[in-house]
Amino acid sequence: MTLALDIDKLTCVRAHRVLFEALSLVLTAGAFVSLQGPNGAGKTSLLRIIAGFLTPAAGIVRIRTETGAILTDGEDRARAVGWLGHQDAVKLQLTVGEQLSFWSKLYGDGAAALAPFGLAPLAEVPGQFLSAGQKRRLALARLTLTKRKLWLLDEPLAALDAAGKVLVAQSVRAHCAAGGIAIAATHEPLGVDGLTLHLGGP
Amino acid sequence: MFSLANPKRFMDASGKVLPWLAVATAVLLTVGLTLALSVPPDYQQGDAVRIMFVHVPAAWVAMMAYGLMALAAAVGLIWRAPLADVAMKTAAPLGAVFTALGLVTGSLWGRPMWGAFWVWDGRLTSFLLLLFLYLGIMALGNAIEDETRAVRASGILAIVGAVNLPIIHFSVRWWTTLHQGESLLRKGGPSIAPVFLWPLAVMALAYTLLFFSLWIVRMRTTILERKAAVLRITGRA
Amino acid sequence: MNALRSLIARDLVLALRAGGGAALALAFFAAVATLVPLGIGPDLKLLARIAAGVLWVAAVLAALLSLDRLFQADFEDGSLDLMALSPLSLEAVALAKIAAHWLSTGLPLTLIAAVLAVAYGLPANGTGALVASLLIGTPAVSAIGGIGAALTLSIRRGGLILPFIVLPLIAPVVIFGSGAVLAVLDGLASGAFLFLAAFSLLAVVLSPFAAAAGVRLNLGS
């Protein structure tokens, strides 16, 4: 079995406003979707619905895992997605090494790889001394260590320099090539081939 | 609108019931108060006993309102019913008012009975904590901006409070055993003189109906306000 | 179990390192306990009588004031999202955080209370009873406070509303906790310790569910 995501007639209402209505989308292993649209168009809401945080007003989200299990319940989907929020979830008082070791224990997915993200020299450095770009790298390293196959990325390029952006694109490309799926809400193009989904607007 | 599908039927039904309920409340209140003022004074307490007719029903409604609020909170959380959310949200301030009424009349009653407006009596203290619980539920609901989230959060607090209230009551009773026994619910029948029992029963029923009337009015107002807000935002109902 | 332990350890480290707030709660506790004799007078007989009540109330306030960041800090920087997506259930996350709060606040408060009790002229049997009651009762404060912390995590100025909504709920802890000490001082047999233990157990078992419901609610926004 290969990974698949099936979004079926999804409707999202926030504060009495319909953000999107009857949105349907089927993605299979290797797919990349760039979510675009103005602020407040529902990009983050869509990601949060897929991850099971938010309950849609109508519609169903199904994830078919590589073992063939169909996950429709929000709590089950939550255990299947890899999340990169627009905040970095970096603790100022903990070192880079401590943070990665904590998250790998919490997710129970073995040791974290520091090297590909240029974090090896920073292992002993507390979060408060990291630059915005370094914090993002830490968040990316954490995302890869979770071994989750469906990536949901909220503004992954924010606060990154050119080298960092290349790194994100490379990670996403590698992830999709390995049979994963990635959906990214972005303002600027990620530089990865795939679909573009426009939310909101006229 | 999705969120108003359920309350619509409530608006129709409550619109028909409300006038009758209001009339019944007014009649019962008039009869009850007349009875309360016409019974002979108590041989021990004198005319002060008449405070009982406004105090005991207030205390009863304060507790009943909490139970109904917690029930509405549970229904709202489990079935995500918009009407239950409205019921929960509007019950809290009403319950708080009846609790405050119970406290004020209780302390007015206490002045001739105990010689002080306030004593740290078990039941008064329990009711003070109940008032704080009500106020906390309202404060939490007001502090959260998102409407649905505010109701659900205060609903969780209301349910936690419902589990905790018997324990609070027990602990306060343990803390002080100053109060005269629970006269209405004592074993072997009510110890209260029958001449007082009738006006008390009428007043209890009147207060209960008053609570339901006010509750329905508040629920209707809240639903209409929400409808108006939706109209302003979307331009369609 | 491994995940639960690592979350407790991480929260403990965060509480104990600079800016964590555990030390501040202890200092607050000691300061309040010092202020009361200044307001009442140095009469040791009177102080010994009110010691249990004052130290219990001060301990509860210190614990509650340090609780408002229990979930909020992780909510604001996105960590709570990642915890919700982890294999650990939110109930387990709440339990771990409550445990870490008790280890970093309730437990040290109990130890400091033993020293302060001496300053209040509490006799040895009263001090023993106070320490025992705090040891048994403070987990309930962390647990029920955890519900308040979960419900208020999205409120930016939630610092005052949290104690307000939690205080009526933990009144039994204060009543049984200080009552147990007074009963020992007066040589009375009372079920206070039993009631305290029962309440604490109930609070620790049930609170994670309510707290998790609160967190789930706030993440869905």
Side-chain angles (χ1 to χ4, degrees), chain A residues 36-59:
Chain A
Q36 302 198 340
N39 286 336
K43 300 191 296 281
T44 300
S45 292
L46 177 57
L47 293 180
R48 292 190 80 84
I49 288 174
I50 297 172
F53 289 124
L54 265 179
T55 312

Side-chain angles (χ1 to χ4, degrees), chain A residues 33-192:
Chain A
V33 176
S34 166
L35 273 183
Q36 302 198 340
N39 286 336
K43 300 191 296 281
T44 300
S45 292
L46 177 57
L47 293 180
R48 292 190 80 84
I49 288 174
I50 297 172
F53 289 124
L54 265 179
T55 312
I60 297 174
V61 178
R62 291 186 201 87
I63 298 173
R64 193 185 67 206
T65 65
E66 286 176 321
T67 54
I70 308 284
L71 311 176
T72 45
D73 189 59
E75 298 262 310
D76 295 334
R77 292 203 304 274
R79 308 284 181 270
V81 302
W83 183 262
L84 185 73
H86 55 86
Q87 291 129 320
D88 293 313
V90 169
K91 288 287 163 202
L92 304 184
Q93 304 95 317
L94 301 181
T95 68
V96 170
E98 282 173 331
Q99 314 209 25
L100 280 176
S101 124
F102 160 67
W103 288 110
S104 71
K105 276 189 202 134
L106 192 66
Y107 276 78
D109 290 326
L114 293 164
F117 300 94
L119 292 170
L122 300 173
E124 302 293 322
V125 177
Q128 57 185 316
F129 299 119
L130 296 181
S131 70
Q134 286 166 332
K135 285 180 186 165
R136 253 313 70 173
R137 279 165 213 258
L138 177 51
L140 262 176
R142 184 178 49 214
L143 174 65
T144 49
L145 76 81
T146 62
K147 305 275 194 298
R148 301 274 168 97
K149 300 303 283 185
L150 173 59
W151 279 9
L152 304 173
L153 320 170
D154 198 357
E155 299 297 346
L157 299 184
L160 280 183
D161 56 11
K165 286 174 187 171
V166 170
L167 192 66
V168 171
Q170 276 172 355
S171 304
V172 172
R173 229 176 275 132
H175 176 71
C176 292
I181 294 176
I183 304 177
T186 53
H187 276 100
E188 47 186 319
L190 206 61
V192 178

